[in-house]
Amino acid sequence: MMHSRSNDLILKTTTNIIVFVILAFSINMLFSGHNAPGGGFIGGLMGAGAFLLLYVSYGLQPVHRILPINFTYMIAVGLLIAILTGAGSFVLGVPFLSHSFGYFQLPLLGKTELATAMLFDLGVYLTVIGVTMTIILSIAEDKIEKEVGEGN
């Protein structure tokens, strides 16, 4: 069992920059997904990759202190958004998950297209990040508990 950390200054320094780039591209994929390749699934995988890079670089406890995100709740919120988006079509009397869009004048953004597919993609995005990170962190925490148990 290895208790000392290697000198990972380069990894931590580049992680601080790369995580923001990955998250920005992840959000870009989320927003462009209903009109172009991308969407909630691939954006969510990229977002989970950014969080994973933080955990690999800094460790579980420091990242939990800085970003106290409960990824299980993120799964629930994402599923709720996706289900409500689909169920909203029943209220309007159209087939399940029917796509609708419109153009709206938004402050700072001007004339902007808003689509129901974007809401569904947001639900998928949050669900994918939540599921991916829950699985990976569960495996990591089990490994840590096993190592601590062997140390006694």
Side-chain angles (χ1 to χ4, degrees):
M1 179 167 58
M2 190 171 138
H3 289 289
S4 63
R5 299 282 297 182
S6 63
N7 186 0
D8 48 7
L9 178 65
I10 295 172
L11 176 63
K12 288 180 179 180
T13 303
T14 56
T15 294
N16 293 338
I17 298 166
I18 293 172
V19 163
F20 289 107
V21 172
I22 294 172
L23 283 175
F25 194 61
S26 167
I27 291 169
N28 178 53
M29 293 299 283
L30 168 66
F31 284 125
S32 67
H34 63 281
N35 287 332
F41 187 79
I42 190 64
L45 286 177
M46 292 176 61
F51 285 117
L52 182 59
L53 182 58
L54 281 174
Y55 280 103
V56 168
S57 299
Y58 289 98
L60 290 175
Q61 296 307 321
V63 176
H64 278 308
R65 279 193 303 270
I66 295 169
L67 297 172
I69 299 171
N70 186 331
F71 291 105
T72 308
Y73 288 151
M74 189 179 285
I75 296 169
V77 169
L79 285 173
L80 184 66
I81 291 170
I83 290 169
L84 290 177
T85 302
S89 61
F90 291 137
V91 173
L92 300 173
V94 294
F96 185 67
L97 284 178
S98 292
H99 176 68
S100 178
F101 68 94
Y103 292 93
F104 300 91
Q105 191 69 27
L106 299 176
L108 299 175
L109 297 176
K111 187 176 181 181
T112 306
E113 178 189 12
L114 296 178
T116 56
M118 177 60 216
L119 288 174
F120 182 77
D121 276 347
L122 177 64
V124 171
Y125 181 83
L126 294 174
T127 303
V128 169
I129 289 176
V131 168
T132 305
M133 292 308 300
T134 299
I135 291 170
I136 291 171
L137 293 177
S138 294
I139 293 169
E141 289 167 356
D142 286 347
K143 184 176 185 221
I144 290 172
E145 288 176 9
K146 183 179 176 187
E147 288 177 355
V148 170
E150 289 175 356
N152 291 335

